Amino acid sequence: MIKLKGLHKAFGRQEVLKGIDLKVEKGEVVVILGPSGSGKTTLLRCLNFLEQPDDGEITIGSTRVHCNHVSRQEILAIRRSTAMVFQLYNLFKNKTALENIMEGLVIARKVPREQAEQTSRQILAKVGLADKGDAYPSQLSGGQQQRVGIARALALNPEVILFDEPTSALDPELVGEVLGVMKKVAQEGLTMIVVTHEISFARDIADRVIFIDGGVIVEQGPPAEILFHPREERTKQFLKRIL
Ligand code: ADP
């Protein structure tokens, strides 16, 4: 479903991803853990070409690209099969919750407005915000805004949703409602790659946890193994700091 082979990315002389190999199955929920600056966000951004990788191969669904000679068409195909949920919800401030969700459908996917509105209302209900369609972001709590962010990603019906620390900008009491929506999405069988420090989410929802440090995958496996019985010293040290 998703396959990365030898993914490399440098910023100037700093090599941030040093050859990442990764396979994610359809419907799998993968949590990426790792210290700050280890390359987690860069990995997600390379996956949908928000950053251009320097080398390697990316396969998502039926699209396979070689990063060092990729066409505009291929980048668009990869972008169409992914959706991203950002740390700071990134909603359009001058659009309502409903319009924020509709935007991608109407502009990028060319879905007729009426149909886009119907789909968007259904998805708003799914994230528990059926009554907030007409609210502007400033009228919503951080947790509600992030749920709109997730709804916007869901509306695009992507092959995979990439979550980049979706709860780290939230007040602690708002984290639960966002994780609850993510849990629901996971249970519906969507493929998810989630960068998060929320160990409870990793423990309860992830199929696999990947620990990244210094731009390489240090170890990976089932949550119970990686979180509670890691083999590698670097993983042990990191978990000691955050648990
Ligand atoms: P993480 O998500 O694990 O905290 P990042 O992927 O954000 O790590 O960053 C990894 C390294 O790459 C950091 O040292 C960061 O400063 C650097 N970096 C990230 N994005 C850029 C960029 N656009 N330009 C230059 N350096 C960057």
Side-chain angles (χ1 to χ4, degrees), residues 27-96:
E28 202 179 1
V29 178
V30 172
V31 162
I32 301 182
L33 285 182
S36 177
S38 57
K40 304 180 299 294
T41 294
T42 304
L43 176 60
L44 286 192
R45 293 174 63 86
C46 280
L47 252 167
N48 64 359
F49 282 89
L50 281 180
E51 296 287 354
Q52 166 85 47
D54 299 323
D55 198 9
E57 208 177 272
I58 299 179
T59 309
I60 300 183
S62 56
T63 310
R64 182 200 292 181
V65 302
H66 296 275
C67 298
N68 47 8
H69 49 86
V70 58
S71 69
R72 184 83 206 137
Q73 278 314 102
E74 288 174 322
I75 291 179
L76 287 176
I78 291 276
R79 292 220 177 115
R80 260 198 300 274
S81 52
T82 62
M84 189 131 167
V85 176
F86 297 90
Q87 190 174 1
L88 294 165
Y89 352 103
N90 275 41
L91 301 180
F92 297 110
K93 297 203 172 5
N94 57 343
K95 291 187 188 299
T96 65

Side-chain angles (χ1 to χ4, degrees), residues 5-39:
K5 227 165 98 182
L7 202 69
H8 279 83
K9 174 69 184 173
F11 293 108
R13 284 212 211 115
Q14 188 193 4
E15 212 185 347
V16 175
L17 300 180
K18 300 176 184 166
I20 300 279
D21 295 319
L22 178 65
K23 270 189 197 164
V24 179
E25 302 298 333
K26 193 172 172 56
E28 202 179 1
V29 178
V30 172
V31 162
I32 301 182
L33 285 182
S36 177
S38 57

Side-chain angles (χ1 to χ4, degrees), residues 20-232:
I20 300 279
D21 295 319
L22 178 65
K23 270 189 197 164
V24 179
E25 302 298 333
K26 193 172 172 56
E28 202 179 1
V29 178
V30 172
V31 162
I32 301 182
L33 285 182
S36 177
S38 57
K40 304 180 299 294
T41 294
T42 304
L43 176 60
L44 286 192
R45 293 174 63 86
C46 280
L47 252 167
N48 64 359
F49 282 89
L50 281 180
E51 296 287 354
Q52 166 85 47
D54 299 323
D55 198 9
E57 208 177 272
I58 299 179
T59 309
I60 300 183
S62 56
T63 310
R64 182 200 292 181
V65 302
H66 296 275
C67 298
N68 47 8
H69 49 86
V70 58
S71 69
R72 184 83 206 137
Q73 278 314 102
E74 288 174 322
I75 291 179
L76 287 176
I78 291 276
R79 292 220 177 115
R80 260 198 300 274
S81 52
T82 62
M84 189 131 167
V85 176
F86 297 90
Q87 190 174 1
L88 294 165
Y89 352 103
N90 275 41
L91 301 180
F92 297 110
K93 297 203 172 5
N94 57 343
K95 291 187 188 299
T96 65
L98 189 72
E99 289 165 348
N100 263 283
I101 300 168
M102 286 174 62
E103 181 81 6
L105 289 174
V106 174
I107 305 291
R109 298 283 159 88
K110 314 284 180 220
V111 175
R113 275 199 91 77
E114 220 167 275
Q115 192 185 330
E117 181 174 338
Q118 201 183 353
T119 306
S120 302
R121 283 198 190 282
Q122 281 166 1
I123 294 173
L124 257 182
K126 185 184 273 189
V127 300
L129 295 173
D131 56 339
K132 296 291 183 191
D134 296 331
Y136 286 90
S138 61
Q139 297 167 318
L140 298 171
S141 73
Q144 290 170 333
Q145 288 183 54
Q146 191 57 301
R147 281 148 69 194
V148 175
I150 295 172
R152 188 170 58 172
L154 286 173
L156 297 171
N157 196 22
E159 302 261 11
V160 56
I161 304 190
L162 311 170
F163 292 82
D164 189 10
E165 298 199 30
T167 58
S168 61
L170 297 175
D171 290 335
E173 74 271 23
L174 303 178
V175 168
E177 65 186 74
V178 172
L179 293 180
V181 168
M182 288 169 63
K183 180 175 176 181
K184 196 166 154 190
V185 172
Q187 285 166 344
E188 286 181 6
L190 251 101
T191 313
M192 298 165 61
I193 303 181
V194 186
V195 172
T196 184
H197 294 302
E198 292 293 334
I199 294 300
S200 64
F201 181 83
R203 184 193 60 208
D204 299 341
I205 311 297
D207 297 304
R208 182 159 39 122
V209 173
I210 294 178
F211 177 69
I212 291 189
D213 195 13
V216 298
I217 294 179
V218 174
E219 65 181 310
Q220 56 179 308
E225 196 177 290
I226 301 300
L227 297 174
F228 306 112
H229 305 285
R231 292 179 301 271
E232 300 292 330

